[in-house]
Amino acid sequence: MHHPALVAVDPRVDPAECQSMAEVRQGVDAVDRALVALLAERQRYMEAAARIKPDRDAVFDQARIDDVVAKVLTAAQAHHLSPEIAEPVWRLLIDRCIAHEFAVYDRTRS
């Protein structure tokens, strides 16, 4: 089984210190690579959930969705991430993760 290392973010200039678009782009690209690694890890948790959940009806859980979004908005505020970015991004992420979990659930049970 594949067990990736902890996510590292490539060296980059602090956004407040950027003096050129090249530095901005280097920083964005570094953060994007780290986000991809973190999203892949999140996906593996969804795959574990599909393996663990006892029935297909347990895949969609509105209370859990609401809880995740509330926690994300709290974390977003602490990190000065606009809720106008955080909430729609996480709602789309959750939607796609649920679709993936359904697909994995169905594939592993057929």
Side-chain angles (χ1 to χ4, degrees):
M1 175 171 272
H2 178 65
H3 296 284
L6 294 176
V7 173
V9 182
D10 297 339
R12 65 212 177 278
V13 176
D14 185 287
E17 303 300 321
C18 286
Q19 299 295 313
S20 69
M21 284 307 300
E23 290 175 331
V24 168
R25 290 178 180 139
Q26 178 188 15
V28 168
D29 291 348
V31 170
D32 284 349
R33 285 187 294 276
L35 286 171
V36 166
L38 287 169
L39 289 171
E41 181 177 351
R42 190 182 199 285
Q43 176 181 297
R44 290 190 299 276
Y45 281 110
M46 298 303 94
E47 292 163 356
R51 175 176 45 81
I52 293 166
K53 288 182 179 173
D55 58 70
R56 196 173 195 278
D57 291 339
V59 172
F60 182 88
D61 181 347
Q62 187 63 52
R64 175 64 178 149
I65 293 168
D66 296 341
D67 181 56
V68 169
V69 171
K71 288 174 181 173
V72 163
L73 290 174
T74 297
Q77 183 177 16
H79 290 277
H80 307 287
L81 173 61
S82 167
E84 287 78 20
I85 294 172
E87 185 166 358
V89 166
W90 256 266
R91 287 196 182 277
L92 179 60
L93 175 62
I94 290 166
D95 177 71
R96 298 293 74 221
C97 283
I98 290 169
H100 181 71
E101 188 178 334
F102 271 124
V104 171
Y105 185 94
D106 292 344
R107 186 172 61 245
T108 59
R109 304 290 196 296
S110 53

